[in-house]
Amino acid sequence: MKDFAGKIAVITGGGTGMGRELARQLVAEGCNVAMCDVSEAAMAETKRLCEVEKLPQGLRVTTHVADVAIEDHLKRFRDELAEQQKTDRIHLLFNNAGIGGGGSLFTNTREQWERTFNICWGGVYLGVRTFLPMLVAADEAHIVNTASVNGFWASIGMNQAHTAYSAAKFAVKGFTEALINDLRLHAPHVKCSVVMPGHIGTSIVSNSRKVQSGDGSEKLNADEVALTRKRMAAAGVPDADKMSDEDIQAAFAERARSFLEDAPTTAAQAATIILDGVKAERWRILVGEDAKRLDERVRATPEQAYDRAFYESLTQEVGWRLG
């Protein structure tokens, strides 16, 4: 697929981050976009940004509220876009939606753990299941599943558990690699790619908190304050156990800001890398120099990948400040 003009793209998690930037860049290339998200307001802003320059006549950008972990939501999304986009086929599927959280089997609830896993993995699986007939109906199509560097390295540091997200992203990577031959055998005109970003400047920290809590607030609730204080103490933050609730709230807000604003790769840059990878029909798309370097190092010394020396030398080399 050398260009996207006149094509129809589906994007999950289109309200913010890479999903928003994928929508903007696809629309700029003349591609119709149907996006879903749990936040109607966030999607409205994405659509506004897509329409800042007047859209060409007939180009469609549609928004659909859906939780990708719920199959009936995705089926409703599919049926709405078929009607609103006036189509029985799509050319591009970006399974991009994801959240963090549920990192520990010990300190997080089962509900938090499974919420993360069911969105990050279940949303990809159900997305492919739901839209595969529409992809097969097109003359050419491409599935793009967003994993992470945590799909080949299950860590964000020595002092913080990261099991739910990592397990989900390993599943996305394996699933997409297995799809290569499944598609080759049964629908050779449909291609697929697994995207593995490093640290990308997005709002995933704050958005994950909103989805996990279900209250849409920017502030931590009392249980989250207590858990954050415990996590900070385990990470070696001086006097974390003595910090006030207001100090904990401020530390969380700063972490969310830093993740968004201090990342080595912006969401717009990431979207460009992904779309260039689709055009080049690359099945494996690493996003960011940090992702490339981490991939090299894990492959070179897999037995040492979870040792403290590996992590400390990696963070010094790529400039990460995680945890």
Side-chain angles (χ1 to χ4, degrees), residues 227-238:
L227 184 59
T228 300
R229 183 181 286 110
K230 184 182 296 186
R231 179 185 63 79
M232 292 173 67
V237 176

Side-chain angles (χ1 to χ4, degrees), residues 3-309:
D3 67 80
F4 306 126
K7 303 294 195 299
I8 301 173
V10 167
I11 304 171
T12 69
T16 58
M18 291 193 299
R20 171 176 289 175
E21 297 302 328
L22 284 167
R24 295 181 68 183
Q25 293 183 30
L26 284 164
V27 168
E29 293 197 34
C31 185
N32 300 283
V33 167
M35 75 186 84
C36 79
D37 201 285
V38 293
S39 172
E40 190 169 10
M43 284 191 293
E45 176 61 10
T46 298
K47 183 175 181 179
R48 185 192 70 78
L49 291 169
C50 288
E51 295 174 344
V52 167
E53 298 295 333
K54 186 175 174 63
L55 296 181
Q57 186 173 5
L59 196 68
R60 296 185 179 92
V61 179
T62 58
T63 61
H64 310 263
V65 176
D67 181 335
V68 297
I70 302 173
E71 188 169 10
D72 285 347
H73 283 205
L74 284 173
K75 288 180 176 178
R76 187 184 68 235
F77 173 28
R78 177 199 61 199
D79 294 344
E80 288 175 358
L81 85 86
E83 179 182 358
Q84 295 177 29
Q85 297 273 350
K86 298 178 170 48
T87 186
D88 62 355
R89 64 200 63 196
I90 63 171
H91 304 88
L92 293 153
L93 172 62
F94 295 90
N95 284 309
N96 164 80
I99 64 166
S104 175
L105 289 170
F106 296 89
T107 60
N108 292 107
T109 66
R110 178 170 179 167
E111 289 74 21
Q112 291 171 327
W113 202 100
E114 292 183 357
R115 184 73 173 129
T116 298
F117 187 81
N118 290 341
I119 289 174
C120 291
W121 155 241
V124 171
Y125 168 67
L126 293 174
V128 172
R129 277 285 189 196
T130 301
F131 291 102
L132 189 59
M134 297 184 80
L135 290 158
V136 172
D139 55 352
E140 60 174 346
H142 205 116
I143 299 166
V144 184
N145 294 332
T146 299
S148 165
V149 293
N150 291 130
F152 59 78
W153 186 64
S155 175
I156 53 170
M158 304 301 295
N159 297 317
Q160 185 171 347
H162 200 49
T163 60
Y165 187 86
S166 296
K169 295 304 187 178
F170 265 78
V172 170
K173 180 176 180 287
F175 174 64
T176 310
E177 291 190 21
L179 268 181
I180 294 170
N181 205 51
D182 203 356
L183 292 169
R184 184 182 291 142
L185 291 170
H186 300 106
H189 63 296
V190 181
K191 311 300 180 186
C192 67
S193 298
V194 58
V195 174
M196 292 175 287
H199 181 183
I200 310 299
T202 72
S203 300
I204 190 171
V205 173
S206 56
N207 286 345
S208 297
R209 190 266 147 201
K210 292 177 184 178
V211 172
Q212 289 282 11
S213 67
D215 63 13
S217 171
E218 298 284 349
K219 300 194 71 175
L220 302 173
N221 61 37
D223 290 341
E224 291 167 332
V225 167
L227 184 59
T228 300
R229 183 181 286 110
K230 184 182 296 186
R231 179 185 63 79
M232 292 173 67
V237 176
D239 296 323
D241 56 338
K242 300 176 182 176
M243 292 173 65
S244 69
D245 289 0
E246 290 74 20
D247 289 339
I248 296 294
Q249 294 280 4
F252 175 80
E254 171 56 22
R255 180 168 175 256
R257 183 212 63 78
S258 178
F259 195 94
L260 172 63
E261 298 178 9
D262 298 338
T265 306
T266 68
Q269 290 169 332
T272 299
I273 293 167
I274 294 167
L275 294 178
D276 286 347
V278 171
K279 290 177 181 177
E281 289 193 357
R282 296 206 315 272
W283 71 263
R284 190 172 191 271
I285 303 173
L286 291 165
V287 182
E289 291 304 314
D290 54 343
K292 294 177 184 178
R293 186 63 186 127
L294 179 57
D295 178 56
E296 292 170 358
R297 293 192 55 167
V298 170
R299 287 172 177 274
T301 58
E303 292 292 334
Q304 285 77 52
Y306 300 105
D307 293 348
R308 182 173 295 278

